[in-house]
Amino acid sequence: MTNRHDFAGTVPVREQHQFDQTALERWMEQNVAGYAGPLTVDQFKGGQSNPTYRLTTPGRSYVLRRKPRGALLKGAHAVEREARVMAALGQADFPVPYIHGLCIDDSVIGSWFFVMDMIEGRIFWDASFSDVSRHDRAAYMDAMNATLARLHTIDPVFIGLSDYGKPGGYVARQVARWSGQYLSDGVAGRHPAMDLLANWLPRHLPAADEVAIAHGDFRADNMIFHPTEPRVLAVLDWELSTLGDPLADFAYHVMMFRMPPDILGGISGLDLAALGLPDEAAYVDAYCRRTGRDGISNLDFYIVFNMFRFAAILHGIKGRVARGTRPMRTRMLWANALRAWPSWLGRRRNGWIESWTKISCWHICGAHWWSRPGCPAASTHTYRPGNGPMRPFHPRDTLGGAIVLTSRPHF
């Protein structure tokens, strides 16, 4: 199970992420208006994909995000895109930090980076908003909903992002991208379950093809809220942003209703009414009202697509661990976070999993295959009649570091 203390706060800069701070100070003197040292640098515990640092001076604080060192997958860790989209959205008064500058000269600190304002506020590591009163939780949820709806209604052309992504074909493009990265990463390994979805998804794409600014990783812990109010001050982590299908972007966010608290701070299995939280249907309705929709008939497809995408991302992390560009501690944190996922899927006997895609099980970093005996969705190599307890498959069938969605499309 994840612990928010694994990601919250700062630590001294980790050895593998250290850089020439004197060179950074020289760059900031030349590129950041009003900068005045001396400079103190600490590293945020989070920001695992792109190392992230707190820069403190006597007068103010900044945040630096950089690409990691080493061989990187094509298109990954695009800090230059993060800087560009936040700078553009800031012009539209969307809640993002102010961007002070972007450096694409590797000789300064060893990789590309950008510097932005440090926003002081609250970060919630789960979508239940357990740290605020029951009376206020629905308002915090609604603030997230309103913020994403607002993002999807901003005209990318108006703010200079007409070329931020290809117009149309977002889901097909994403399936091709993540399938390609998965298939090309021989170090991370292969699995027929991912091969199956890589083949199945492009043959069942939705007919609608909308275009909006898509965040790509919109969830509670990628937002900074006002210290005392249910108001979003800044949306962070735009690494996966592009011009894309707003429904796919929204579906990724809605996955919090399908994930248990152990997985990305989900809220599945909680008594939402008792906690003062809306249910999924009410949350979807609120988004639809804000964006002028009658509903989202194929929401489940978009959620399965996002699960595949997320699995491919973690597969890439496994490859980076194997190549030595991702710390082993990060892998173990993901393993602990995802260990409860398969049992949750097995319990969803009568929901969308069984009726729509026949998803059977997940492969967890460093764990085993799991299936719910007696569940008709279970794949043949893990199925066992009866309703006994959860059981592991043979350890030799694990990939030792990738999360893989095993799906049996049911059409």
Side-chain angles (χ1 to χ4, degrees):
M1 184 170 63
T2 51
N3 187 324
R4 68 187 64 191
H5 299 297
D6 289 328
F7 299 103
T10 60
V11 294
V13 178
R14 300 181 183 102
E15 182 178 357
Q16 69 270 26
H17 294 151
Q18 291 179 358
F19 56 83
D20 185 344
Q21 295 187 20
T22 301
L24 175 62
E25 287 196 76
R26 286 196 299 267
W27 183 89
M28 293 189 68
E29 288 170 354
Q30 298 168 8
N31 295 278
V32 177
Y35 171 77
L39 179 67
T40 300
V41 181
D42 296 291
Q43 186 170 3
F44 285 100
K45 293 181 182 179
Q48 294 289 340
S49 179
N50 291 323
T52 307
Y53 307 80
R54 178 170 183 149
L55 312 180
T56 306
T57 70
R60 65 185 304 173
S61 294
Y62 309 88
V63 173
L64 181 150
R65 272 173 71 81
R66 64 180 297 193
K67 293 191 179 198
R69 294 188 181 94
L72 304 176
L73 294 173
K74 180 181 178 181
H77 313 286
V79 295
E80 69 279 11
R81 288 178 60 83
E82 287 192 84
R84 180 187 176 191
V85 71
M86 284 192 283
L89 287 168
Q91 299 173 14
D93 293 325
F94 186 81
V96 288
Y98 177 78
I99 303 298
H100 290 278
L102 168 70
C103 178
I104 57 173
D105 181 356
D106 287 340
S107 69
V108 178
I109 66 169
S111 61
W112 294 12
F113 68 91
F114 68 89
V115 173
M116 60 183 170
D117 271 344
M118 172 75 189
I119 306 297
E120 300 289 351
R122 303 181 71 180
I123 294 179
F124 296 92
W125 296 95
D126 62 87
S128 68
F129 294 96
S130 55
D131 292 337
V132 301
S133 69
R134 179 186 183 280
H135 176 76
D136 293 330
R137 289 170 188 161
Y140 279 86
M141 289 280 286
D142 196 58
M144 289 198 302
N145 188 297
T147 301
L148 187 55
R150 183 182 174 195
L151 174 66
H152 292 164
T153 56
I154 294 175
D155 184 350
V157 177
F158 182 75
I159 61 172
L161 293 178
S162 60
D163 62 343
Y164 193 61
K166 295 180 181 179
Y170 171 76
V171 176
R173 211 163 59 240
Q174 287 283 294
V175 169
R177 173 187 177 183
W178 296 112
S179 296
Q181 290 193 7
Y182 158 72
L183 294 171
S184 66
D185 195 344
V187 174
R190 292 278 298 276
H191 195 279
M194 288 291 285
D195 295 343
L196 171 65
L197 284 181
N199 177 63
W200 180 84
L201 283 167
R203 294 187 289 108
H204 295 85
L205 298 173
D209 192 16
E210 302 180 41
V211 178
I213 301 169
H215 179 273
D217 195 14
F218 195 87
R219 60 180 197 254
D221 61 308
N222 278 335
M223 283 168 259
I224 298 176
F225 286 80
H226 186 278
T228 61
E229 301 173 11
R231 179 160 55 92
V232 177
L233 298 182
V235 179
L236 308 175
D237 199 354
W238 294 83
E239 179 187 350
L240 299 176
S241 63
T242 188
L243 297 186
D245 189 331
L247 296 183
D249 202 33
F250 178 64
Y252 176 87
H253 179 54
V254 169
M255 281 202 305
M256 63 185 170
F257 288 98
R258 318 262 180 129
M259 302 297 175
D262 302 70
I263 313 300
L264 298 178
I267 55 178
S268 174
L270 302 181
D271 188 336
L272 301 182
L275 294 173
L277 301 171
D279 60 19
E280 181 181 300
Y283 198 79
V284 172
D285 286 346
Y287 174 83
C288 290
R289 287 195 303 272
R290 287 182 165 117
T291 56
R293 304 174 188 278
D294 294 329
I296 307 175
S297 60
N298 50 1
L299 179 62
D300 284 336
F301 171 89
Y302 284 112
I303 288 178
V304 170
F305 152 71
N306 276 294
M307 288 183 172
F308 170 79
R309 171 175 168 267
F310 185 56
I313 290 171
L314 293 186
H315 183 266
I317 292 175
K318 180 204 172 184
R320 288 182 57 204
V321 170
R323 286 185 290 270
T325 57
R326 185 78 170 193
M328 182 61 70
R329 178 178 177 274
T330 299
R331 173 179 168 185
M332 295 311 298
L333 288 175
W334 277 111
N336 291 336
L338 294 166
R339 201 168 299 279
W341 205 328
S343 60
W344 168 75
L345 285 175
R347 287 195 299 269
R348 290 297 296 263
R349 290 295 307 278
N350 299 313
W352 66 277
I353 290 174
E354 189 172 314
S355 63
W356 197 80
T357 62
K358 296 291 182 183
I359 293 173
S360 59
C361 53
W362 289 82
H363 177 275
I364 305 303
C365 302
H368 303 156
W369 281 102
W370 292 85
S371 67
R372 178 68 178 180
C375 176
S379 55
T380 56
H381 63 280
T382 58
Y383 176 78
R384 184 182 67 182
N387 293 302
M390 301 292 293
R391 66 180 178 87
F393 196 57
H394 198 284
R396 67 170 176 265
D397 292 314
T398 66
L399 295 179
I403 174 172
V404 177
L405 171 63
T406 300
S407 177
R408 182 170 296 184
H410 189 59
F411 286 95

